[in-house]
Amino acid sequence: MLLLCSDGLTGKLLLEKVAACVPCGGTAAVVVTADREYKAANYHVARCCGELTSLGLAVDICDIDTAPAQALRRYDVVEFIGGNPFYLLRSIRDHRAADVLQQIAREKLLIGWSAAAFVFGPSLELVNAYSPEWNDVGLTDLRGLSLTGVRVLPHYDRFLRRFDRFEEICRAHEEANHVQVIRLNDGDGVFDDNGAVTICRG
């Protein structure tokens, strides 16, 4: 199962739904690759570990920049935190991790929020429309991993208040590409269970 969300398991309903589909006494990995500056010191990491621990999971912190991506197969839940989506996509490609993540999404639970929510979807074109300067790693192929056909826009209500033309840019992207983007507020998420898509709000 794949879960795309805005800021992790911060929504009560989201946490409850995840609790219903993970094994008690299982294991989880929090993957910090997308934050190339702070890594495990990212201020969200302690919260994410706490959320997973509250579900009865034993949690490790992992980074595919420094350890084999294949090691992620042993975990019941794998959660990728936010950061730079362009850097994350390049790292996944460089370390040949796409097949591993596809297997986890198919057989276990793979969670991606913020940057990872873009990377796990079909394309980084939308985030590139907002912040092309983030692509300081020189990616020219902006295709995502396409672990799902769902396209999301995380932090919607927060960024709508902060940035000019935020909704206008999203609508233009939808119209130009003939796609639908699901706007996610913090606490929201979209589950894709091998093609069965469920939106969970708040």
Side-chain angles (χ1 to χ4, degrees), residues 104-118:
I104 294 167
R106 186 173 60 247
E107 299 175 1
K108 299 182 180 181
L109 175 60
L110 177 64
I111 302 170
W113 55 268
S114 196
F118 287 112

Side-chain angles (χ1 to χ4, degrees), residues 9-48:
L9 304 179
T10 58
K12 182 175 182 290
L13 293 178
L14 202 57
L15 193 63
E16 289 175 353
K17 186 168 177 60
V18 169
C21 64
V22 301
C24 185
T27 58
V30 172
V31 184
V32 299
T33 305
D35 186 344
R36 59 184 170 183
E37 181 176 0
Y38 293 104
K39 297 293 188 176
N42 178 290
Y43 71 97
H44 291 291
V45 169
R47 169 182 61 81
C48 292

Side-chain angles (χ1 to χ4, degrees), residues 89-143:
L89 180 57
R90 191 189 72 172
S91 182
I92 289 170
R93 289 174 178 167
D94 287 349
H95 296 99
R96 296 177 173 85
D99 288 347
V100 173
L101 300 181
Q102 185 176 52
Q103 181 184 1
I104 294 167
R106 186 173 60 247
E107 299 175 1
K108 299 182 180 181
L109 175 60
L110 177 64
I111 302 170
W113 55 268
S114 196
F118 287 112
V119 170
F120 292 169
S123 172
L124 299 190
E125 292 288 354
L126 179 55
V127 70
N128 190 61
Y130 288 114
S131 302
E133 70 278 6
W134 288 359
N135 187 9
D136 58 0
V137 295
L139 280 189
T140 56
D141 180 357
L142 299 184
R143 289 175 296 176

Side-chain angles (χ1 to χ4, degrees), residues 34-77:
D35 186 344
R36 59 184 170 183
E37 181 176 0
Y38 293 104
K39 297 293 188 176
N42 178 290
Y43 71 97
H44 291 291
V45 169
R47 169 182 61 81
C48 292
C49 290
E51 289 162 356
L52 294 168
T53 300
S54 76
L55 302 178
L57 300 168
V59 183
D60 292 331
I61 297 173
C62 302
D63 182 2
I64 63 172
D65 283 339
T66 57
Q70 288 75 13
L72 296 175
R73 287 192 171 103
R74 70 172 179 259
Y75 294 97
D76 299 299
V77 180

Side-chain angles (χ1 to χ4, degrees), residues 171-179:
R171 283 203 309 270
H173 174 81
E174 289 177 312
E175 292 169 5
N177 296 281
H178 308 289
V179 296

